[in-house]
Every structure is written in structure tokens, then in C-alpha cells.
Amino acid sequence: MSFKTSGLHHVTAIGGDPQRNADFYLRTLGLRLVKTTVNFDDPGTYHLYYGDESGKPGSLLTFFPWREAPGGRVGTGQATTTAFSVPEHSIGWWKQHLEAAGVSTSRVVNRDDEDALLFRDPDGLRLALVAHPQGDPRDPWDTPAVPGEHAVRGLHSVTLSVRREDATAGMLTEGLGLSFAAEDGNRFRFTAGDGGPGATVDVLVTPDAPKGLVAGGTVHHVAWRAPDEHTQAAWREELLGRGVEVTSIMDRQYFRSIYFREPGGTLLEIATDQPGFSIDEPLLELGRALKLPPWLEPDRDQIEAALPALDLPSENNPERRERT
């Protein structure tokens, strides 16, 4: 494989009520809303990006929140768990914090020397917090509700559920340049680069599980990093040469994207690291205003009228946060 991703770029899921979604991810999980925009293919729906202070690649979980979204079904052919990285000694704090917020959690489980806490968001999306023993050097987003010493550092990993692992493993290694790292029963781990938080995918083999249905409370796609547009274009040509059906390069305003499915059924994306989220608003104001790409700007009045109101807490903007 000529090209190798350096890790996860973002995960995109389908949510329900956008205000409930924002309240959970901003107040309960302590992430920052770094961009409020719309689904470019369905401008009557928000596209909300949550991450660290600037929305660095590898920190991002994004949502298409539809108020009337039907519930999805977790199963094979999709990403079934999205995990965030937290400090090694923070799992106990998080368990208390989540349960105080009315979120049911699992017992703390240990796998591969990592402690993990499993739970779901208000729409049923499967999430996990994972403490990696070697730590995570990424800077947190610090809020009154979730102080920096415990805060999420970024994405840790995703789990893909499949009926057979061989073809999916081939796509991860030959298509994305990942390396096989470990096997634990029916779970196979692959990593980018040196591995660790933000560079890991687990393939869970469940041959008797039902096929997943992507809808409310499920992951829509998983995106992997490419450093720039030139690399992405060449990568696309190589994938096409391997017989993979790949979309054209799409302008997502804050990055460029190509999409394809791995053989197990999960929709994957390769997204560029640049240009980033500060191209159309200052760092201190990220996420505050509805931002539209140039081709949708002429329809702003109609788009704004169709979207539900969204009230953001003050802690989303650095100069307005009040420490208590």
C-alpha cells in the first residue's frame, strides 16, 4: 500500500433532537461545538461538529440530528461503538459524573491494559470512555462541568462489527495502511502508525448478529486522515485501481472527502487535515453562528427558517466561560 493514514479524522452519527444532542455533548461530555452548519446534501438539517478547542482531526464526533429520525438497529456492517480517550485515573470520576447526569453506565472493564466505561447517548448511540496506560498528550477542552484534568482528549477508537473479518482486514491493511496489532477472541485490533488513542480500530466478528440499520442512534460513517488534497487524490486513484468503488472528491468546506465501503459494509471516508474550522470564523467564536458554504449562502433565509432554534451554553466560547 502506497498510502497510510495517521489515524481517525472523525466519526459521523445520526441523532435526534438537536438541542438535546448539543446539551449532552457540550454539558455532559464537555466537548466543544466547533462548527454549526448544515448537511450539505440536506440543508434542512444541521451538521454539528464536536471536538477539542479548535476541532483538530482525531477529536471530532459529528452529527446529523433529525428530530423525527427513526431508531436504527445496531448490527453487522456498521461502526457499533465510538470510544473517546480520557486520562488514566479519570474513569472513576467519569462514572460518577455520568450517573449523576442520569446516564446509565457499565462496570469498568479492562482490555489490553486499558480501562473502559460503556454508555449510550440520549439517542442510544453506543459510546465508551477509554483510559490508555501510556496516557494521551492531546490538550483537553476545559469547562466548568468537565475540568481539564478529567476531560476527553479526543477519539480513542471505533469498533466495526462484521460477520467475517478477512475481507475487512484486507481493506484496513491494504486500503488504509493500518497494521494488525492484536487478537482477543472474536476481536481483532488494527492500528495506524504507532497506534494508541486516535489511531485504533477494532473489528468485532459476530456472524450470527443481525445486519445493522443506519438511522437514529447509529454511526453513519468513519473518517480517516489524509494530510493534504494531493495525497488524497493519489490515494483515490490507487483505491480505484484496486477495484474499490470510490466517490469523487467532495468539498466539505473544512476538509475534502472521498467515500467508499469496506467489504463488511461500513461506510468509510478519507478526509484531509486542512483547511480546518477557522477558515470562516475566529477560533474564539467557533460554533457560535450558523455557517454555510458559498453555494448555499444565497438560500440562507430559507435554510434558517427551516432549522430549529439551537441554544448553546456559554462554556462553548472561551471568553464567556465562567469558572466556578
Side-chain angles (χ1 to χ4, degrees), residues 40-266:
F40 293 174
D41 302 315
D42 178 14
T45 302
Y46 282 114
H47 192 175
L48 305 178
Y49 290 80
Y50 303 101
D52 64 8
E53 182 178 15
S54 60
K56 295 184 188 70
S59 74
L60 297 161
L61 176 61
T62 93
F63 281 90
F64 303 133
W66 282 284
R67 275 180 167 172
E68 306 301 325
R73 181 177 62 245
V74 174
T76 60
Q78 63 181 202
T80 49
T81 302
T82 301
F84 291 101
S85 173
V86 297
E88 184 177 8
H89 301 296
S90 293
I91 288 292
W93 183 92
W94 273 103
K95 186 171 179 63
Q96 292 182 344
H97 171 75
L98 290 171
E99 292 179 351
V103 179
S104 297
T105 67
S106 71
R107 63 181 179 85
V108 178
V109 297
N110 185 276
R111 182 186 299 121
D112 295 328
D113 295 324
E114 296 175 326
D115 287 333
L117 184 67
L118 309 179
F119 60 102
R120 294 175 184 255
D121 82 352
D123 294 302
L125 184 70
R126 291 184 177 182
L127 300 171
L129 298 173
V130 179
H132 190 69
Q134 296 178 357
D136 188 333
R138 295 176 290 182
D139 293 329
W141 174 242
D142 183 12
T143 75
V146 183
E149 62 185 301
H150 300 299
V152 166
R153 267 47 182 175
L155 292 172
H156 175 276
S157 59
V158 294
T159 298
L160 309 184
S161 291
V162 299
R163 289 182 174 167
R164 294 185 55 180
E165 79 280 4
D166 48 356
T168 295
M171 174 61 77
L172 295 176
T173 56
E174 298 171 16
L176 292 172
L178 302 182
S179 300
F180 173 71
E183 177 180 350
D184 181 9
N186 63 336
R187 182 180 294 269
F188 300 82
R189 173 158 288 191
F190 298 83
T191 58
D194 295 330
T200 300
V201 58
D202 287 337
V203 176
L204 184 65
V205 182
T206 53
D208 298 324
K211 182 176 176 57
L213 173 65
V214 175
T218 65
V219 170
H220 186 269
H221 64 267
V222 176
W224 296 88
R225 296 175 64 176
D228 51 52
E229 294 179 49
H230 174 77
T231 301
Q232 182 189 63
W235 203 333
R236 178 178 180 271
E237 292 303 314
E238 180 161 320
L239 288 169
L240 288 170
R242 292 174 174 269
V244 180
E245 293 185 11
V246 188
T247 67
S248 59
I249 296 174
M250 299 184 180
D251 183 357
R252 299 310 191 194
Q253 188 75 350
Y254 312 106
F255 46 86
R256 304 294 182 266
S257 301
I258 58 174
Y259 301 86
F260 56 96
R261 290 193 183 273
E262 56 86 14
T266 305

Side-chain angles (χ1 to χ4, degrees), residues 272-294:
T272 58
D273 284 353
Q274 299 298 326
F277 292 99
S278 59
I279 63 166
D280 57 2
E281 57 185 341
L283 176 64
L284 293 180
E285 299 178 10
L286 290 181
R288 183 180 299 178
L290 177 68
K291 308 305 291 187
L292 299 176

